[in-house]
Amino acid sequence: MHGMYVKITRSGKRQYLQLVEAVRENGKPRQRHVATLGRLDQLLDADVDALVNGLLKATGRAPLGAEHAAAKPDEVAFSPALALGDLWLLLGLWQQLGMAQALKRTLHRRRVRFDVEALVRVMVFNRLSDPTSKLGLLRWLETVYLPGIDRAQVSHQHLLRAMDVLCEHREALEEAVGKLLLPLLDQDLSVVFYDLTTVRIHGEGEVAADLRQYGCSKDVGGTARQFAVGVVQSAEGLPLAHEVFEGNVYEAATLEGMVQRLLARFPTLTRMVLVADRGLLNLENLHTLETLHTPQGTTLEYILAVPARRYSEYGALCAQLEEKRGERPADAAGESIEESKDAAGRRVVVAHDPAQAALQSRHRDEQIAEIEALAERLVARLDAQDAGTPGRGRRTSDEGAFAQVRAAVQEAGLSRVIHTDVDDGRFLYLVDDKALATARLFDGKLILVTNVRDLSAEQIVARYKSLADIERGFRVLKSEIEIAPVYHRLPERIRAHAFLCFLALVLHRVMRLRLKQAGSALSPARAIALAQRIQYHRVTLRHREIEGVTKLTPEQKELFDQLGVERPTTETVKAAA
């Protein structure tokens, strides 16, 4: 046994650093004192460094820090930092939900020479991280680090081909994704929400079976070229199914097909209550819904909002309920809810919000006052012209005055309240007090038709108001995921684009659900922005490459823990590459 090492010895209260040698004498191991290096509490870092460097130099080795200290500027190269954290987070959710396996399993018989699942994953993550066009996605890939993706193998043509494959197997893929979400859903799936929105689209010309049709846009408020997307969502806020329609589709006509798809997709369903917004109700689909049954044989139930254009059909009923509401104590405040039945015996629930009613009435009165002032000015000008004092400017005719006032009435939506006409060449207008009273009767009212028997009127209203959550989902599709504008022409590509956005919405809602369950105040958008600050770094030092990941802040560590995703470290990222 032979060797040199450093040892700390004590003498009273003092400690000394000694160099000793291990030897063997007469077959027994012994320690032989070589030198005392000094008192431990008096040794400075510089002294220790000098001692170690002296030993290294004597043995022909480079001193401490020489590798870094001696490095010249041209021997150090920093590669651009790549965004990592948000994609690592999305990758963790994607894998946990089983998205990769579901897509690969569904497409396993599809013979293609590229990884469709990987390309779909890239396009979905891009919608959540930095939504852009397919060509823009290639530029985005140069700024991010996504383990398992070879950027050199991703081309614009491959992305388009992956979209084509996605569209070909859209129904099977969406069904597979729906099954992945089952553990997160109420097992009875008793309440689902359905709504429809429009998506603006660019491009000229026409193609076969063109989805790009002109219709009333929910974005710009007028007529625009567009397509429509319907989404079914669970009570937990998770998207279950979607469908793409022509831009001029009649909303009510989309309801039956979506419901039948959903019933077929969940064969173990024992009960389903459909909640849908205004615009999706007409007598024909109401009768159809009442004939539908779940796979277990129970009747489909519904809670549907009556569109404002049909409120007049419920005038007598609302008048009766208004009298009943008037019998409440004078100090009673807040929303009131009354219930009755229509001619077919269906439950009709009417909720009245006094604050909203006052706001609507005041707004209408202001509009009427503005239109009356316009009409009076025009009448005064006509009278002055007849008296021979036309005043300045172009002459006004009775037909011109009628056209101006009628346009203002139509723009305000007051055609039933303000009547305009030209009689014997003279412009006339009239405020219909009876029609105005009827309009005020419906102010602040929400009218719901339902066949649900075991929920109170208050519960019926609460269920319907939960529909606002799916409207927030549409806002996410349009703002954060940026489903619009769309530049594709072919119907298959438009449907594939909508499906990619639907998958992105699934991840967004799962993230939202987990953050909410963890008690986090972060929204998915803020969570993604927080994770984006985590970057992948690469430095070349003297021809040796060093990789690393940004050190996580406490907030970032908490975020990954709340979402149940492994934190990104240099080791875990290398292992996933």
Side-chain angles (χ1 to χ4, degrees), residues 421-443:
D421 199 0
V422 177
D423 187 20
D424 291 333
R426 293 182 60 83
F427 163 59
L428 303 173
Y429 75 93
L430 173 69
V431 177
D432 189 333
D433 292 333
K434 183 177 180 181
L436 179 58
T438 300
R440 286 174 175 161
L441 174 66
F442 295 125
D443 284 344

Side-chain angles (χ1 to χ4, degrees), residues 510-567:
V510 169
M511 191 185 307
R512 173 177 172 268
L513 181 64
R514 291 191 180 183
L515 288 170
K516 185 177 180 180
Q517 290 173 341
S520 174
L522 288 175
S523 66
R526 289 175 59 196
I528 288 174
L530 178 62
Q532 275 178 334
R533 301 172 194 168
I534 303 170
Q535 298 179 323
Y536 171 80
H537 305 272
R538 182 183 289 118
V539 179
T540 303
L541 178 61
R542 285 186 167 178
H543 308 294
R544 187 165 69 90
E545 193 171 79
I546 303 173
E547 300 175 70
V549 174
T550 304
K551 182 179 180 181
L552 273 62
T553 65
E555 294 79 9
Q556 290 166 337
K557 292 178 181 178
E558 183 180 24
L559 170 63
F560 281 90
D561 294 343
Q562 289 172 335
L563 292 174
V565 176
E566 182 183 25
R567 300 173 183 174

Side-chain angles (χ1 to χ4, degrees), residues 250-252 278-282 306-313 416:
Y250 176 43
E251 290 186 49
R278 300 172 175 89
L280 295 168
L281 172 66
N282 62 33
V306 175
R309 65 180 183 275
R310 293 189 54 189
Y311 271 23
S312 58
E313 301 174 27
R416 294 185 179 182

Side-chain angles (χ1 to χ4, degrees), residues 52 60 90 93 102 110 126 141 159 308 399 409 427 456 459 497 499 530:
V52 174
L90 294 172
L93 293 176
R110 178 74 187 189
N126 174 254
L141 273 177
L159 293 174
E399 289 79 4
V409 169
F427 163 59
S456 67
Q459 290 172 318
H497 173 77
F499 193 12
L530 178 62

Side-chain angles (χ1 to χ4, degrees), residues 1-5 7 19-34:
M1 179 179 179
H2 185 79
M4 302 280 270
Y5 59 91
K7 177 182 179 182
L19 182 64
V20 298
E21 180 182 18
V23 298
R24 183 176 293 276
E25 295 181 357
N26 300 323
K28 295 182 180 180
R30 290 185 57 189
Q31 293 178 354
R32 185 169 62 193
H33 176 264
V34 176

Side-chain angles (χ1 to χ4, degrees), residues 405-427:
V405 176
R406 183 181 62 174
V409 169
Q410 291 177 338
E411 184 178 355
L414 293 172
S415 299
R416 294 185 179 182
V417 176
I418 301 179
H419 304 302
T420 57
D421 199 0
V422 177
D423 187 20
D424 291 333
R426 293 182 60 83
F427 163 59

